Each structure stands twice: as structure tokens, then as C-alpha cells.
Amino acid sequence: MTAVFTQREVSLTEGRLRIAEAGEGRPLLHLHSAGGPRFSPVVQHLTANHRVICPFMPGFDGTPALPLVKTIPDVADLYAEFIRKETPGKCDVMAESLGGWVALWLAVRHPDLVDHLVLEGPAGLRPDGKGGLPADPAERHRQLYAVPERAPVEPRSEETLAANRKAAADYSAGIAFDDALALRLREIDARTLIVMGYREQIIPVETGHLLKTKIPHSHLTYVFGAAHAIEFDQPGRVGALVADFLERGESFIVRESAVA
Amino acid sequence: MKFTFFHLMPWTDLTEPPTQWPARNAPFSGERGTELYKNYIDAMAYAEECGFDWVAANEHHFSPYSLMANCNLVGAALTQRTKTIKLAMLGNLVPLLNPIRVAEEYAMLDVMSGGRLIAGFVRGIPHEYIAYNVAPSESRQRLREALALITKAWTEPEPFGWESEHYQYRSVSIWPKPRQTPHPRMLLSATNAESAEFVGEHRAMLGMALIVDLDSAGQTIEAYRKVSRAHGFDPTPDDVVIMQQTVIADSDEEARALMRPALQYFHGILMRPQLDAQRIVLQKTRYFGSDAQRDHFVGRLSTLKARTLEDQIEAGSVLCGSPESVVNQVKKLRQHLGTGHIIMNMKIGNLADAAVKRSMELFRDKVRPQLASL
């Protein structure tokens, strides 16, 4: 199934936020990685039962940066205003890598807005600076994809991708481990699924352990045959896992009978 | 050099080969079975007194070839009968089993033994897949996934979920964890260069059995060493573990006179019923990744079976003879294969337990001392 995502802009206090959305059902915010917005097979799959909303971090994919949105918590506040304005209540949030860092701050600062939280190899909490995106393009690609043939074809210009990398660097501000965030992880009330690729190297395994230890209602799952870009490496496994978690919440740990 | 005493726990009382697979179990006697288990576990416990470094067991199904449907049960008994010898489970047929159960049972053995477990994982011989109704074509991928999952189950500090093609668990946190940290040493078996590379990828010890000739075995071992080094692990001789059917007696003549009928019982009776099942698996499934690997496996078995005992000794396929002869045979394996660890499979077919015990004692008194410097 290939859903058609339509784009529009939403006026918020700090400026205009571009979003892409598709599907109907309970709202699900999908927060992109440093690679920028991409509509993976997992995102497509989730549109079957969710209104999937993909905001563009200001500065990504040709959108203008917003002068007062400079840090990751600033982005989280921007998205919170969007949720309040555009969705009827609590929203499920799933996020990849850099987006996971935003999602964590969103859950910390706006617990009234986040229902289920799915973190896929989230950035911002790399102990001792372990991991990180390799500078060498070939090595970066190798660490992103365990199944290289499933890597998406890149339609964007090198200029756009370079601007995305600069935006990601600006927001990250050289921070590998966000101490302020780490101190507040215990405040997260949302039921949280942390998903890590078994071959993940960009985000160290210790990040998953830290999140599992600190977030009170959390689950940690390893996806075999996946590196960092797990939505592309193993779309079937990740799509089914996330859909089940979003539908059944804590009871997703109990296997359902195939017989009705 | 390190040495292991291995026991296959065979049923010794058949007079005719079973005609089909699985072998009908009407000839089984519970009373005799109890007696055999007692004798066999006694022998395995005695291995500690005889100076072996490990005592080993493995897993087989639906056959008088071995009464060890679950070697972990034997391992559990040995945790209470031994004090220092390492307990090598060589190993659980993990593609057939629930990997979490394997992780748990191995952890129990490690804790119960005070950290003496050697954790073996094998794909098994082809017909076992019929017994447990698992597609042989899935065996390689199941093994790969299960090893990753078991390692996680042993080492993760927090409950975790797992999503792979064959195994899905939403929440895992085993009790107990292994006593050894980060986990017990792992041994994986290999019969060819491809499977040896798999062992090297996992930085595990390499286990090899049924050596047909030293040159091809050496190539497999070299593939293991090469891939291991590429994964940051430089195997020592102790990491190359070679299993040999072994009879040690007071003279070469006596050893050969004991081993010859024992091998006839092993090949002619115990191995017989599984050949049909094996043929079907090998012909109809992708148990092996290529036809060449399948042909290598089949050829190896038939070659060994067709050889005279003298030829097998000369080829380095078995250890048989007086203590002096066996010392020289071990030195030859060491020289050609660089192995630092020999597994001695001393209960061959229906060889009498008294002869097995004599082999063990000659190993202790006359073989091991002469190999102390290796």
C-alpha cells in the first residue's frame, strides 16, 4: 500500500511549520531523523489505522529555519503547540534517531500530549560519546543499513542534503549526551517502546539500556537484521511491532491467538 | 593440550539393525535403560578423576544411537557428581528448540556447576529435523538468530524484546543469568569452510568431528582462523577442538581388536536407521547451502565407513592403540591441525564399559603425562 502524503503549512507562534500527512484514525506524529522526512514502508503501513503526521524540522528539506527555534527542546515545544492546535487530544509519537531526541523532550515537557511513545535508535543520549554518524559516506551508509538493497533511492539534491546535515548539526550543537534530558527521563509518563537494531552502531546499546532503566513504563526490543535505519532494513518486523504496540499498549507483550 | 571425555550414551543391546527411521522402540527396556544411565553417568563423573579437562555430552533424537535426548539433564546430574571438570554441552540443537529455554537451561548449568559450563550450539545432523518437525532449510537462519538471541538473554541488563524472522519475544529477562561473565565460552561445530567462517564470526571455539583427512580438515581450520582474526579474535590451539573415536589398550593389537567390532556395531546398527531419513533431508531440502557442501558431507560419512581401521588410524580419523601409539597420533593431529584440544569419544557402539574404563585410566596414567609439555 502506498499512501499519498499531502503537504501543508501550519501557522504557529514561532513561525510556519510544514507537515505531510496521510491516513485516518488516531493521530500519530512521526518525527524524522537527521536524514530529513522520508516516508518509509513502516510509515506507509501505519497510515492504514492512523492519521500519520510528519512535521518537517525547520531548516530541513528546504524549509526555512525559525529564528527562535534553535535547540532540540525548542523543536519539542514547537511540535507541542502543533499537537494542541491540530489534534483532538493526546497523540501517539514515533521517532527515528534525531527525532527521538525531540520526542523525549516532548514527552518530558508536555506529558499531557503524548500517549504512546516509540523511539527508534534515539539520538541525544550517547554515553561517553560512543557511536555517532561516521563522516565517511561509505562507512556512514554501512552503519545506517544492514540491508543495503532496501536503502531508499535518494530523490533530493546534494544541496538539500547538505542543508539537512547543517540543520541537524545546528540543533545538536555538538551534544552527544544531553545531561539535562537524562536527569528528567524518569518523568516520562508515556508508555514507551524503545526499538534498537541488533546491528546498531550509531546509537550505542547503552542508550537503550539507559532509556529502559529510566523511563518507568518502557519496553526495549531488538530487531534482528537491522542497523540504524530500522524502518528500511526490516519494515515488516518494525511495522508489525509498532502497530501492535500502538493498538494494544502494555498488553502487546501477550501473544494473541491466530484463531478468533 | 586439553582433553575431553565424551560419551554418546548408546543403546548397546541390539542384535539386528533397525530397518527404518525412526527406529522402533519396542526393544527398549526401562530396567536396562536405568542401568545404562547409571553406568554412563558414573563413567562421565570418573573422567574428573582421570584428569580430563572437560566431560562432554550432546543431543540426539529418536534413535538407539544415543539415549541423550536432552544433554542438559545429564549435565545437571554431573554438576552434583563433579567439582572441577568443565561440563561441555556439545551441544544443544538450538534450531530445533526454544532458544530462551536453551539460554535458561545453560544458565542453570553454569550456576549449578559454579561456572563450569562450556556452551555448545550445533545445527545437528540432518535427520533430527524430521524428529522435531522443523524445516531443515531454515536451520542456518534459525541457528544464526538463536545465537544472537541467547547471547542477548545472557547479557542484557534490562528486560528486552526480540524480533527476528523465526523468533519473536516481547519481554525477556531470564533467571538465573550465567555465572560466568559476560557469558560461558561458546563452541560451534563446523564441517566445511563456510560453517567454519560462521564459527569465526561468532568468536567461538571450533568443534570438528569425523575427520576424513588432515588436509581438508586443515583447510576448514584455516578458514576459521582467518575469519576469526577479521573479527578481532585470534584463536589459540585450545580453540580448535577435534573429536576422535578413541580406544586405548595395553597394546595396539588389543586396542584394534576392541575397536573393530565396536565400529561395526556403530556403523552397521546404530547409524543404519538414520541413513534413510538423512537421504530424504539431503535430497529434498536445502539443509546444506550448496550441492558441494551436501556431497562433501555424504562423501565424508561413506568414506569413513568404507575404510579399514588401519586406514582410519593412518588418516587421523580415530585414535586407537597402545598409550605410546595414541600419544604419537595426538602429536600428529597437533602438528597437522594446530589443535590444542582433543575430545575422546571412548564409548564406541557396544564397546564394553570395562574397556572404556581401561581406556580412561591408560589416558590418565600413560597418555596425558607424555603430552604434558604440548
Side-chain angles (χ1 to χ4, degrees), chain A residues 112-188:
Chain A
D112 56 317
L113 297 180
V114 180
D115 195 352
H116 296 86
L117 177 60
V118 179
L119 304 166
E120 302 167 335
L125 293 169
R126 293 187 288 111
D128 305 321
K130 284 185 180 175
L133 268 174
D136 174 61
E139 180 60 16
R140 185 165 63 234
H141 198 268
R142 195 188 69 76
Q143 291 194 21
L144 282 169
Y145 300 102
V147 189
E149 57 272 27
R150 292 184 185 159
V153 176
E154 183 53 74
R156 295 168 295 187
S157 68
E158 182 50 42
E159 186 182 14
T160 299
L161 295 176
N164 285 358
R165 285 194 290 273
K166 181 180 183 310
D170 289 346
Y171 285 118
S172 301
I175 298 171
F177 191 88
D178 185 340
D179 292 297
L181 174 61
L183 288 171
R184 300 190 61 183
L185 291 173
R186 289 193 190 282
E187 299 173 29
I188 293 177

XYZ file of all heavy atoms in Angstrom, chain A residues 112-188:
583
model
N 1.138 15.792 28.959
C -0.297 15.747 28.683
C -0.592 15.503 27.201
O -1.734 15.231 26.839
C -0.956 17.070 29.105
C -0.314 18.275 28.429
O 0.938 18.317 28.351
O -1.060 19.167 27.968
N 0.437 15.564 26.358
C 0.199 15.460 24.908
C 0.618 14.137 24.297
O 0.254 13.836 23.164
C 0.954 16.595 24.178
C 0.526 18.016 24.519
C 1.357 19.018 23.724
C -0.963 18.220 24.215
N 1.414 13.350 25.024
C 1.982 12.138 24.427
C 1.328 10.896 25.043
O 1.403 10.686 26.249
C 3.512 12.092 24.640
C 4.083 10.807 24.016
C 4.169 13.315 24.041
N 0.730 10.106 24.177
C 0.105 8.865 24.640
C 1.137 7.735 24.568
O 1.864 7.492 25.517
C -1.119 8.570 23.780
C -2.018 7.518 24.402
O -1.593 6.931 25.422
O -3.116 7.266 23.891
N 1.253 7.048 23.443
C 2.315 6.053 23.285
C 3.519 6.713 22.625
O 3.364 7.555 21.745
C 1.853 4.893 22.408
C 0.723 4.105 22.989
N -0.599 4.448 22.820
C 0.736 2.993 23.751
C -1.354 3.577 23.445
N -0.574 2.679 24.019
N 4.698 6.259 23.041
C 5.934 6.821 22.503
C 6.795 5.675 21.946
O 7.047 4.695 22.642
C 6.690 7.540 23.628
C 8.052 8.159 23.314
C 7.952 9.219 22.227
C 8.660 8.764 24.594
N 7.211 5.816 20.707
C 8.073 4.809 20.087
C 9.379 5.487 19.694
O 9.379 6.458 18.932
C 7.422 4.189 18.831
C 8.367 3.160 18.198
C 6.091 3.544 19.180
N 10.481 4.983 20.214
C 11.802 5.572 19.965
C 12.643 4.577 19.188
O 12.917 3.469 19.674
C 12.489 5.890 21.301
C 11.705 6.796 22.250
C 12.330 6.759 23.646
C 11.670 8.224 21.716
N 13.060 4.948 17.994
C 13.864 4.060 17.163
C 15.300 4.583 17.121
O 15.584 5.605 16.498
C 13.282 4.004 15.751
C 11.834 3.530 15.724
C 11.166 3.775 14.388
O 11.572 4.688 13.634
O 10.203 3.052 14.097
N 16.193 3.930 17.835
C 17.591 4.361 17.879
C 17.711 5.846 18.179
O 18.353 6.583 17.424
N 17.156 6.316 19.280
C 17.095 7.761 19.519
C 18.462 8.395 19.793
O 19.303 7.807 20.474
C 16.192 7.877 20.754
C 16.344 6.582 21.457
C 16.531 5.549 20.375
N 18.646 9.592 19.262
C 19.891 10.343 19.456
C 19.829 11.112 20.777
O 18.821 11.103 21.482
C 20.097 11.292 18.289
N 20.955 11.753 21.090
C 20.989 12.668 22.230
C 21.424 12.050 23.539
O 21.620 12.755 24.524
N 21.577 10.744 23.571
C 21.938 10.080 24.832
C 23.010 9.020 24.567
O 22.857 7.853 24.915
C 20.700 9.448 25.474
C 19.652 10.445 25.974
C 18.359 9.718 26.341
C 20.162 11.235 27.177
N 24.083 9.447 23.921
C 25.179 8.517 23.642
C 26.233 8.655 24.739
O 27.006 9.622 24.740
C 25.790 8.812 22.268
C 24.833 8.507 21.123
C 25.497 8.645 19.766
N 25.768 10.006 19.382
C 26.976 10.542 19.289
N 28.049 9.813 19.568
N 27.145 11.785 18.928
N 26.263 7.717 25.697
C 27.210 7.832 26.817
C 28.657 7.871 26.321
O 29.030 7.114 25.414
C 26.948 6.572 27.640
C 25.604 6.107 27.217
C 25.443 6.517 25.789
N 29.436 8.726 26.921
C 30.869 8.843 26.599
C 31.114 9.099 25.115
O 32.187 8.755 24.593
C 31.625 7.573 27.026
C 31.413 7.256 28.498
O 31.392 8.212 29.298
O 31.239 6.071 28.832
N 30.132 9.660 24.436
C 30.308 9.972 23.019
C 30.414 8.767 22.116
O 30.817 8.879 20.954
N 30.063 7.587 22.621
C 30.125 6.379 21.779
C 29.220 6.536 20.577
O 28.187 7.192 20.637
C 29.670 5.159 22.580
C 30.675 4.642 23.569
C 30.133 3.358 24.204
C 31.115 2.795 25.212
N 30.543 1.627 25.916
N 29.573 5.846 19.503
C 28.731 5.856 18.313
C 28.809 7.177 17.581
O 29.863 7.812 17.504
N 27.701 7.615 17.030
C 27.660 8.829 16.219
C 27.735 8.503 14.745
O 28.137 7.400 14.346
N 27.330 9.456 13.931
C 27.334 9.255 12.481
C 28.763 9.350 11.945
O 29.415 10.369 12.141
C 26.481 10.327 11.804
C 25.003 10.027 11.557
C 24.311 11.262 11.008
C 24.802 8.843 10.634
N 29.258 8.340 11.260
C 30.599 8.423 10.666
C 30.644 9.515 9.593
O 29.680 9.712 8.855
C 30.808 7.048 10.045
C 29.822 6.160 10.717
C 28.647 7.018 11.053
N 31.776 10.208 9.498
C 31.912 11.264 8.491
C 32.077 10.680 7.092
O 31.591 11.246 6.113
C 33.118 12.140 8.833
N 32.742 9.540 7.012
C 32.973 8.934 5.704
C 31.647 8.408 5.132
O 30.962 7.601 5.782
C 33.964 7.778 5.852
C 34.121 7.018 4.552
O 34.555 7.639 3.571
O 33.784 5.819 4.527
N 31.263 8.846 3.924
C 29.951 8.467 3.382
C 29.754 6.957 3.250
O 28.674 6.442 3.545
C 29.933 9.146 2.002
C 30.900 10.272 2.111
C 31.964 9.810 3.046
N 30.785 6.252 2.808
C 30.633 4.801 2.635
C 30.425 4.109 3.985
O 29.567 3.231 4.128
C 31.861 4.231 1.922
N 31.219 4.516 4.972
C 31.071 3.916 6.301
C 29.733 4.304 6.920
O 29.081 3.495 7.596
C 32.239 4.355 7.201
C 32.196 3.799 8.621
C 32.232 2.272 8.676
O 32.577 1.630 7.682
O 31.874 1.737 9.749
N 29.327 5.563 6.664
C 28.026 6.005 7.186
C 26.906 5.139 6.608
O 26.019 4.683 7.345
C 27.808 7.480 6.829
C 26.535 8.060 7.436
C 26.536 9.575 7.368
N 26.554 10.082 6.004
C 27.436 10.952 5.530
N 28.404 11.411 6.308
N 27.361 11.377 4.281
N 26.967 4.898 5.325
C 25.938 4.075 4.680
C 25.952 2.657 5.253
O 24.902 2.057 5.494
C 26.180 4.051 3.166
C 24.984 3.601 2.370
N 24.778 2.290 2.028
C 23.927 4.296 1.877
C 23.656 2.188 1.344
N 23.110 3.387 1.234
N 27.155 2.138 5.482
C 27.263 0.781 6.030
C 26.660 0.682 7.421
O 26.025 -0.309 7.767
C 28.743 0.364 6.070
C 28.978 -1.124 6.271
C 30.436 -1.440 6.486
N 30.926 -0.945 7.754
C 30.671 -1.514 8.941
N 29.939 -2.606 8.997
N 31.154 -0.995 10.052
N 26.843 1.756 8.207
C 26.304 1.715 9.573
C 24.813 2.068 9.620
O 24.137 1.740 10.586
C 27.095 2.655 10.480
C 28.511 2.173 10.735
C 29.191 2.900 11.875
O 28.549 3.497 12.734
N 30.514 2.847 11.895
N 24.331 2.722 8.594
C 22.895 3.037 8.564
C 22.062 1.817 8.180
O 21.001 1.578 8.749
C 22.616 4.162 7.562
C 22.934 5.588 8.012
C 22.869 6.547 6.814
C 21.945 6.040 9.088
N 22.564 1.044 7.216
C 21.737 -0.009 6.620
C 22.379 -1.381 6.788
O 23.470 -1.629 6.291
C 21.519 0.263 5.133
C 20.835 1.585 4.880
C 21.571 2.696 4.447
C 19.468 1.738 5.089
C 20.960 3.916 4.233
C 18.850 2.965 4.876
C 19.596 4.041 4.447
O 18.983 5.246 4.247
N 21.660 -2.277 7.449
C 22.104 -3.674 7.498
C 21.720 -4.397 6.216
O 22.324 -5.402 5.866
C 21.471 -4.376 8.703
N 20.695 -3.900 5.547
C 20.240 -4.486 4.280
C 20.333 -3.388 3.227
O 19.344 -2.702 2.933
C 18.786 -5.009 4.401
C 18.403 -5.807 3.152
C 18.612 -5.854 5.653
N 21.509 -3.195 2.660
C 21.738 -2.034 1.783
C 20.772 -1.963 0.605
O 20.408 -0.863 0.172
C 23.178 -2.223 1.299
C 23.802 -3.157 2.262
C 22.722 -4.020 2.817
N 20.348 -3.115 0.130
C 19.450 -3.089 -1.032
C 18.078 -2.508 -0.686
O 17.310 -2.183 -1.581
C 19.303 -4.481 -1.651
C 18.797 -5.571 -0.721
C 19.907 -6.277 0.040
O 20.980 -5.658 0.265
O 19.695 -7.441 0.432
N 17.776 -2.368 0.596
C 16.498 -1.759 0.980
C 16.636 -0.271 1.271
O 15.653 0.383 1.639
C 15.924 -2.465 2.210
C 15.492 -3.886 1.917
C 14.837 -4.511 3.151
N 14.533 -5.919 2.909
C 14.340 -6.825 3.867
N 14.420 -6.453 5.139
N 14.072 -8.069 3.576
N 17.833 0.260 1.147
C 18.012 1.706 1.367
C 17.197 2.469 0.324
O 17.155 2.077 -0.843
C 19.488 2.071 1.263
N 16.542 3.547 0.733
C 15.690 4.259 -0.234
C 16.528 4.961 -1.298
O 17.654 5.387 -1.037
C 14.954 5.274 0.648
C 15.862 5.491 1.815
C 16.544 4.179 2.054
N 15.950 5.048 -2.478
C 16.585 5.838 -3.527
C 16.461 7.304 -3.120
O 15.393 7.760 -2.698
C 15.890 5.597 -4.881
C 16.485 6.505 -5.955
C 16.021 4.127 -5.271
N 17.543 8.036 -3.211
C 17.556 9.421 -2.729
C 17.131 10.384 -3.844
O 17.861 10.578 -4.825
C 18.966 9.788 -2.248
C 19.078 11.176 -1.671
C 18.054 11.425 -0.579
O 18.228 10.894 0.535
O 17.068 12.137 -0.864
N 15.941 11.002 -3.741
C 15.497 11.901 -4.808
C 15.967 13.341 -4.604
O 15.845 14.167 -5.510
C 13.964 11.834 -4.687
C 13.724 11.617 -3.225
C 14.910 10.821 -2.708
N 16.485 13.639 -3.422
C 16.793 15.044 -3.110
C 18.183 15.437 -3.608
O 19.060 14.589 -3.765
C 16.683 15.261 -1.598
C 15.270 15.067 -1.079
C 15.211 15.005 0.438
N 15.904 13.822 0.966
C 15.886 13.453 2.236
N 15.193 14.171 3.114
N 16.533 12.395 2.630
N 18.356 16.727 -3.837
C 19.637 17.216 -4.355
C 20.698 17.172 -3.258
O 20.374 17.179 -2.052
C 19.490 18.652 -4.855
O 19.254 19.522 -3.757
N 21.942 17.175 -3.679
C 23.040 17.207 -2.713
C 22.979 18.489 -1.906
O 23.317 18.506 -0.709
C 24.383 17.079 -3.444
C 25.597 17.054 -2.524
C 25.480 16.061 -1.366
O 24.996 14.930 -1.584
O 25.856 16.433 -0.237
N 22.506 19.566 -2.525
C 22.378 20.849 -1.819
C 21.376 20.728 -0.657
O 21.644 21.199 0.460
C 21.910 21.914 -2.827
C 21.877 23.323 -2.277
C 21.359 24.313 -3.329
O 20.803 23.864 -4.353
O 21.497 25.520 -3.099
N 20.256 20.072 -0.938
C 19.244 19.882 0.119
C 19.795 19.008 1.236
O 19.602 19.304 2.436
C 17.987 19.230 -0.476
O 17.451 20.092 -1.471
C 16.933 18.977 0.602
N 20.497 17.941 0.853
C 21.030 17.037 1.877
C 22.088 17.740 2.722
O 22.161 17.533 3.942
C 21.613 15.791 1.208
C 20.585 14.916 0.472
C 21.280 13.758 -0.236
C 19.532 14.389 1.436
N 22.892 18.576 2.080
C 23.905 19.316 2.836
C 23.231 20.284 3.812
O 23.679 20.441 4.965
C 24.813 20.081 1.880
N 22.145 20.916 3.362
C 21.407 21.823 4.249
C 20.795 21.046 5.416
O 20.765 21.524 6.560
C 20.326 22.551 3.455
N 20.320 19.840 5.143
C 19.780 18.990 6.218
C 20.866 18.653 7.246
O 20.626 18.693 8.462
C 19.223 17.695 5.644
C 17.882 17.884 4.946
O 17.340 19.000 4.929
N 17.356 16.821 4.374
N 22.053 18.311 6.737
C 23.147 17.976 7.658
C 23.513 19.181 8.518
O 23.775 19.046 9.718
C 24.373 17.479 6.874
C 24.232 16.074 6.332
C 25.574 15.502 5.881
N 26.069 16.148 4.683
C 25.746 15.770 3.437
N 24.927 14.759 3.243
N 26.243 16.413 2.399
N 23.493 20.370 7.906
C 23.819 21.573 8.677
C 22.739 21.831 9.738
O 23.047 22.159 10.894
C 23.938 22.784 7.755
C 24.291 24.071 8.505
C 24.412 25.276 7.614
C 24.846 26.519 8.421
N 24.054 26.761 9.627
N 21.484 21.663 9.347
C 20.397 21.880 10.306
C 20.520 20.901 11.474
O 20.376 21.278 12.647
C 19.050 21.715 9.603
N 20.809 19.645 11.165
C 20.950 18.646 12.229
C 22.102 19.013 13.154
O 21.996 18.900 14.389
C 21.181 17.262 11.608
N 23.207 19.473 12.553
C 24.369 19.861 13.371
C 24.036 21.076 14.236
O 24.445 21.150 15.401
C 25.561 20.158 12.464
N 23.290 22.015 13.675
C 22.917 23.201 14.459
C 22.057 22.822 15.659
O 22.274 23.295 16.780
C 22.164 24.202 13.571
C 23.091 24.866 12.557
O 24.327 24.757 12.720
O 22.567 25.480 11.595
N 21.063 21.987 15.427
C 20.185 21.589 16.541
C 20.957 20.770 17.577
O 20.765 20.924 18.784
C 19.004 20.760 16.033
C 17.928 21.565 15.339
C 17.604 21.352 14.007
C 17.209 22.550 16.024
C 16.612 22.075 13.368
C 16.208 23.290 15.400
C 15.920 23.047 14.060
O 14.942 23.783 13.446
N 21.818 19.890 17.101
C 22.538 19.007 18.030
C 23.585 19.764 18.824
O 23.909 19.375 19.961
C 23.226 17.874 17.260
O 22.277 17.121 16.548
N 24.137 20.806 18.224
C 25.112 21.679 18.895
C 26.271 20.884 19.502
O 26.773 21.213 20.584
C 24.411 22.528 19.974
N 26.649 19.812 18.830
C 27.794 19.031 19.297
C 27.533 18.210 20.545
O 28.471 17.676 21.147
N 26.280 18.112 20.948
C 25.960 17.373 22.186
C 25.756 15.895 21.859
O 24.872 15.532 21.086
C 24.675 17.941 22.838
C 24.880 19.395 23.227
C 24.284 17.090 24.045
C 23.599 20.099 23.667
N 26.581 15.047 22.443
C 26.381 13.602 22.283
C 25.464 13.077 23.383
O 24.638 12.181 23.153
C 27.722 12.873 22.334
N 25.619 13.652 24.578
C 24.825 13.184 25.719
C 24.173 14.389 26.378
O 24.856 15.280 26.908
C 25.702 12.433 26.727
C 24.909 11.711 27.770
C 24.472 10.410 27.558
C 24.567 12.331 28.971
C 23.722 9.741 28.517
C 23.818 11.666 29.933
C 23.399 10.358 29.709
N 22.872 14.426 26.329
C 22.093 15.549 26.853
C 21.842 15.305 28.356
O 20.884 14.614 28.739
C 20.778 15.634 26.061
C 19.944 16.848 26.433
O 20.158 17.407 27.529
O 19.061 17.221 25.635
N 22.706 15.867 29.177
C 22.605 15.620 30.631
C 21.276 16.079 31.204
O 20.691 15.418 32.069
C 23.754 16.328 31.357
C 25.098 15.709 31.049
O 25.288 14.523 31.403
O 25.939 16.380 30.434
N 20.813 17.233 30.722
C 19.551 17.774 31.248
C 18.392 16.825 30.948
O 17.512 16.602 31.798
C 19.293 19.154 30.636
N 18.415 16.253 29.765
C 17.365 15.290 29.408
C 17.476 14.024 30.253
O 16.473 13.515 30.768
C 17.474 14.947 27.919
C 16.540 13.839 27.411
C 15.073 14.236 27.597
C 16.828 13.527 25.940
N 18.699 13.526 30.393
C 18.893 12.285 31.148
C 18.344 12.404 32.568
O 17.774 11.451 33.112
C 20.380 11.929 31.179
N 18.497 13.595 33.146
C 18.021 13.799 34.515
C 16.492 13.767 34.618
O 15.949 13.588 35.707
C 18.538 15.140 35.050
C 20.034 15.186 35.370
C 20.470 16.620 35.689
C 20.349 14.254 36.542
N 15.821 13.949 33.488
C 14.361 14.047 33.537
C 13.640 12.847 32.920
O 12.414 12.859 32.797
C 13.921 15.353 32.868
C 14.503 16.585 33.574
C 13.897 17.861 33.073
N 12.458 17.914 33.300
C 11.676 18.929 32.888
N 12.215 19.948 32.228
N 10.382 18.905 33.119
N 14.393 11.823 32.535
C 13.748 10.685 31.866
C 12.706 10.007 32.758
O 11.703 9.484 32.272
C 14.803 9.664 31.432
C 15.727 10.100 30.293
C 16.830 9.070 30.068
C 14.944 10.318 28.998
N 12.957 10.018 34.066
C 12.021 9.350 34.973
C 10.653 10.025 34.997
O 9.669 9.430 35.459
C 12.582 9.322 36.398
C 13.743 8.386 36.577
C 14.048 8.157 38.046
N 15.287 7.443 38.217
C 15.424 6.130 38.041
N 14.379 5.401 37.704
N 16.605 5.559 38.209
N 10.607 11.280 34.501
C 9.320 11.993 34.497
C 8.415 11.543 33.356
O 7.238 11.900 33.329
C 9.573 13.505 34.358
C 10.387 14.105 35.497
C 10.745 15.560 35.209
O 9.984 16.245 34.491
O 11.808 15.995 35.687
N 8.960 10.808 32.419
C 8.145 10.418 31.253
C 7.053 9.452 31.694
O 7.328 8.396 32.275
C 9.036 9.800 30.155
C 9.968 10.872 29.592
C 8.173 9.204 29.043
C 10.941 10.372 28.546
